[in-house]
Amino acid sequence: MPFGTAGDAMALPISYNIRNLIVRKTTTIMTAVGIALSVAILVASLALLNGLRTVFKNTANPLQLLVLRKGGNSELGSVMSPESFQIIRAKAGVAVDRAGQPMASEELVNVVNLPSVDNPKGMNVTVRGLGTTGIEMRSVRVVEGRWFQPGQREIVVGKAVSKRYPPARLGERIRFGRGDWQIVGVMDGGESALNSEIWGDFNQVSAAYNRQENASSVLLRAVDPVALDALKHSIEDDRQLSASAIVEKDYYESQTASGAPLEFLGIFVAVVMAIGGAVAAMNTMYTAVARRAKEIGTLRTLGFSQGSILLSFLTESVLLSLVAGILGCLLALPLNWVSTGVGSFISFSEITFRFHVGIAALFAGLVFATVVGALGGVLPARAAARKEILSALREA
């Protein structure tokens, strides 16, 4: 007998499904918890990558270019000569500051290993040598202490570094390069990767690493988007420079790949748990069909079609999963106040960021739960709909 349609049969009210889920509260709760955990893991994985994207997006200025040696993709492995810096800062289209000086910053980047609260053996932290122009080109402020003085072995640490690395607190001294450095300030760059760096005077940091003649990169700002594109081509076409110019926004977006392995692992675990959740939902619904055989027969006698029965049981499974999905999303929401760190494959240092549970991640979690409920409920719903009236009334 073919399934009935909405046009030739009555539909069972949603209150019928809610009542049955409440009656079977033990199995309902057990199944819901399993699905909720898989949804929470999925949302957490998406929140991790979203948090990393937010940090790198907030670090970059859309009008700034990062100049590296030809073919380079990282400041750490790049070399730029003083002569190249002078050529670059003199190019047309470079913005100027209030004093009329080109907004171009010669910078040296290296790493220092410091013991962290999570890893006593140490993690790499980015050390950046720069001047006052480099500071002015970034949205950052000192929240404790003061800025380092040019010509002095003084450093300012990002607030994430100060929080995660005990040796890097205000007033302490740390050793890197060829000497000790006094921490005189803590800076705040908002939700950006700048909070995961240590800054010092360019000349002092260069001397500490014996690289007085070579910087790592040049950061420069264009006057407008048109000039930005022209500058990029001018630098890359200049054979005297042998350099690559990368839009700062694109450079930091490429570092988002650092969170890809963790995202993949989280989604993989979520999918494995979802399969278990779907099987649990299927088992719950099959049990419901067996226990409610006489009830199904009665419903058919009252005029409810096979299609109505199938839709009702499928709705019940999806409803159970949706409730579990909402629970999973609620479990993941507190991650908005959790910070963690991942190692960057480009800078070879740790980037600290905060999980970001956004609307898109929550919506994905609810869709995921709905799919799990539909997959787990379709076969039991079909079995319920196919029961013959007389055989169903004889059961139970």
Side-chain angles (χ1 to χ4, degrees):
M1 182 184 295
F3 292 160
T5 63
D8 58 24
M10 298 178 289
L12 284 159
I14 194 73
S15 57
Y16 169 76
N17 304 112
I18 295 174
R19 179 182 64 82
N20 282 305
L21 289 174
I22 293 173
V23 168
R24 307 190 321 272
K25 57 179 178 292
T26 302
T27 54
T28 296
I29 292 172
M30 291 177 65
T31 304
V33 168
I35 297 174
L37 289 174
S38 63
V39 170
I41 291 173
L42 174 69
V43 173
S45 301
L46 297 176
L48 182 148
L49 196 64
N50 196 25
L52 203 55
R53 283 198 186 103
T54 300
V55 160
F56 288 133
K57 179 182 177 181
N58 293 340
T59 304
N61 185 311
L63 287 178
Q64 291 184 172
L65 284 174
L66 186 67
V67 185
L68 307 173
R69 72 175 180 181
K70 197 77 170 178
N73 66 346
S74 164
E75 290 181 278
L76 195 61
S78 175
V79 175
M80 297 295 296
S81 68
E83 294 77 21
S84 295
F85 173 61
Q86 294 302 325
I87 293 171
I88 291 168
R89 73 193 298 266
K91 284 191 174 287
V94 177
V96 295
D97 59 20
R98 285 173 291 185
Q101 295 299 311
M103 297 191 76
S105 175
E106 185 180 25
E107 301 182 0
L108 183 104
V109 174
N110 215 309
V111 294
V112 59
N113 188 273
L114 295 175
S116 71
V117 292
D118 298 327
N119 188 352
K121 292 184 178 180
M123 292 287 292
N124 283 345
V125 180
T126 295
V127 175
R128 184 179 298 275
L130 73 172
T132 54
T133 301
I135 297 173
E136 292 171 3
M137 291 174 69
R138 295 173 169 94
S139 299
V140 63
R141 61 192 178 91
V142 170
V143 291
E144 292 182 63
R146 59 175 174 82
W147 283 111
F148 57 83
Q149 294 293 321
Q152 300 297 318
R153 287 208 166 188
E154 298 176 342
I155 52 175
V156 173
V157 301
K159 68 175 185 178
V161 175
S162 179
K163 181 179 179 181
R164 290 178 62 83
Y165 298 88
R169 304 277 163 80
L170 182 64
E172 299 290 336
R173 299 180 71 89
I174 60 174
R175 185 176 183 82
F176 62 82
R178 295 190 297 182
D180 294 332
W181 298 75
Q182 181 75 41
I183 300 172
V184 296
V186 177
M187 61 184 178
D188 181 7
E191 279 194 79
S192 74
L194 303 180
N195 289 330
S196 301
E197 295 187 354
I198 297 173
W199 289 3
D201 176 61
F202 173 76
N203 292 323
Q204 291 296 314
V205 174
S206 298
Y209 287 108
N210 198 28
R211 286 185 56 178
Q212 295 94 326
E213 298 300 320
N214 291 297
S216 299
S217 62
V218 174
L219 183 70
L220 72 159
R221 183 177 297 174
V223 293
D224 55 44
V226 176
L228 180 78
D229 189 60
L231 264 174
K232 176 177 168 62
H233 286 94
S234 174
I235 291 168
E236 293 183 335
D237 294 342
D238 193 330
R239 293 184 179 180
Q240 190 178 359
L241 292 176
S242 187
S244 297
I246 308 169
V247 178
E248 192 181 27
K249 176 174 168 288
D250 295 338
Y251 176 75
Y252 281 107
E253 277 184 356
S254 69
Q255 295 195 41
T256 308
S258 304
L262 291 175
E263 183 194 30
F264 173 79
L265 179 62
I267 292 175
F268 176 76
V269 172
V271 169
V272 170
M273 291 187 66
I275 293 172
V279 171
M282 189 181 298
N283 183 59
T284 298
M285 295 311 296
Y286 267 127
T287 303
V289 171
R291 289 180 178 176
R292 290 153 59 187
K294 190 172 182 178
E295 186 178 311
I296 293 169
T298 302
L299 291 172
R300 291 297 312 283
T301 302
L302 292 173
F304 290 97
S305 68
Q306 286 182 315
S308 297
I309 301 295
L310 182 138
L311 182 61
S312 177
F313 274 82
L314 186 58
T315 299
E316 196 169 307
S317 179
V318 171
L319 186 62
L320 169 61
S321 293
L322 265 177
V323 172
I326 293 171
L327 176 61
C329 289
L330 291 175
L331 288 173
L333 277 178
L335 288 174
N336 273 321
W337 291 272
V338 175
S339 295
T340 187
V342 297
S344 169
F345 299 129
I346 294 179
S347 65
F348 296 99
S349 59
E350 187 181 63
I351 304 295
T352 302
F353 64 97
R354 182 172 58 85
F355 283 84
H356 193 277
V357 182
I359 298 298
L362 295 175
F363 180 73
L366 292 177
V367 171
F368 183 72
T370 302
V371 171
V372 169
L375 293 175
V378 65
L379 293 180
R382 187 178 179 86
R386 285 184 174 277
K387 281 187 176 292
E388 296 294 335
I389 297 176
L390 291 178
S391 62
L393 290 171
R394 290 194 192 102
E395 292 181 31

